[in-house]
Amino acid sequence: GGDSGEKETYTVATDANFKPFEYKDPDSGEMKGFDIDLMKAIADEAGFNVEFKSMQFDGLITGMQSGRYPLAIAGISITEERKESIDFSDPYYDSGLILMVQSDNDEIKSIDDVDGKEVGVKTGTTSEAYLKENTDAKIKAFPQIINAYMDVRNGRVDASLYDKPNVEFYIKESGKDELKTVGETLQGESYGIAMEKGSDLVEPVNEALATLKENGKYDEIYEEYFGKKP
Ligand code: GLN
């Protein structure tokens, strides 16, 4: 501390079950992903150190609301409701929700067809809130989305609703011909870095993010996980 020039180290809450944004590399056991690299680059730029702590998503949101962690990055969608108790950085990734069903399902063609159907989601996420507010689906919430995906594959639920980049990644990685997305991308959502309400970190984080977008570093990280920008 003081003027010794030593950097602060901040704990960053995350949920390492959200490919390709944050996940544990199966070989090294290290945390990897777009969010992890972006957060490290922001910390570098803003002059602090970070250490990541992985936890369940709903606990992460509660923790941020009570100021338990200074920072969180976990593909967290910026919503009006969350903004009441959590501060967010400027948006860093545009996303949205998409429905996934078995490939041979011709009953569910869009969100208009899920009333009375069982839909798997991840607890505490925007998908769960969306279904509650806009449909009469029977919601089956899991702490980890992989269990909802497995249930779609096994036919134990009719569909899953979740963040489009993760759904697409999963279909590509393991579902291939078994699973498909249906309907429009619902609810444009942007991800933001969460900070304690009133945090002094909001400004330096936003400045660092803007610099990384300008100097090409953001694009470099983006391309590593998503390929060339269209
Ligand atoms: N973007 C979604 C939300 O904020 C889900 C994020 C996640 O599961 N990591 O609710």
Side-chain angles (χ1 to χ4, degrees), residues 15 18 22 57 74-77 82 122 124-126 162-163 189 191:
D15 173 6
F18 191 54
E22 41 267 326
F57 190 77
I76 305 169
S77 301
R82 289 174 182 165
K122 177 155 127 183
T125 61
T126 46
Y162 197 45
D163 297 52
E189 294 183 351
Y191 299 156

Side-chain angles (χ1 to χ4, degrees), residues 5-109:
E6 265 179 46
K7 290 185 183 178
E8 281 288 345
T9 298
Y10 295 114
T11 301
V12 181
T14 190
D15 173 6
N17 293 290
F18 191 54
K19 282 182 181 174
F21 295 89
E22 41 267 326
Y23 55 96
K24 287 227 169 73
D25 186 77
D27 301 322
S28 66
E30 301 247 336
M31 247 184 264
K32 278 197 69 180
F34 177 77
D35 283 356
I36 303 299
D37 289 358
L38 182 66
M39 191 68 240
K40 284 181 183 164
I42 287 173
D44 250 6
E45 188 60 41
F48 56 83
N49 293 319
V50 284
E51 59 188 22
F52 294 93
K53 188 174 157 66
S54 185
M55 63 197 70
Q56 230 170 270
F57 190 77
D58 56 342
L60 181 153
I61 294 291
T62 318
M64 292 312 292
Q65 283 166 335
S66 61
R68 201 174 310 147
Y69 310 103
L71 291 154
I73 192 162
I76 305 169
S77 301
I78 303 169
T79 68
E80 288 308 315
E81 198 193 334
R82 289 174 182 165
K83 270 182 2 193
E84 286 170 18
S85 51
I86 298 170
D87 275 353
F88 284 97
S89 69
D90 293 331
Y92 68 83
Y93 188 96
D94 292 329
S95 188
L97 309 176
I98 196 90
L99 261 182
M100 181 182 85
V101 296
Q102 283 186 0
S103 294
D104 56 8
N105 185 323
D106 46 23
E107 229 183 312
I108 301 178
K109 296 190 176 68

Side-chain angles (χ1 to χ4, degrees), residues 100 119-122 140 142 144-153 157 159-160:
M100 181 182 85
V119 183
V121 296
K122 177 155 127 183
K140 199 169 170 191
F142 299 91
Q144 291 188 21
I145 197 65
I146 186 72
N147 298 104
Y149 291 166
M150 294 309 267
D151 268 15
V152 176
R153 293 176 80 166
V157 300
S160 170

Side-chain angles (χ1 to χ4, degrees), residues 108-164:
I108 301 178
K109 296 190 176 68
S110 79
I111 196 74
D112 300 330
D113 304 322
V114 301
D115 289 356
K117 302 281 187 217
E118 257 198 297
V119 183
V121 296
K122 177 155 127 183
T123 314
T125 61
T126 46
S127 308
E128 186 179 26
Y130 183 93
L131 287 175
K132 273 190 192 152
E133 281 158 31
N134 302 291
T135 74
D136 287 316
K138 292 180 203 145
I139 302 167
K140 199 169 170 191
F142 299 91
Q144 291 188 21
I145 197 65
I146 186 72
N147 298 104
Y149 291 166
M150 294 309 267
D151 268 15
V152 176
R153 293 176 80 166
N154 300 331
R156 278 196 289 263
V157 300
D158 301 291
S160 170
L161 181 72
Y162 197 45
D163 297 52
K164 187 177 176 182

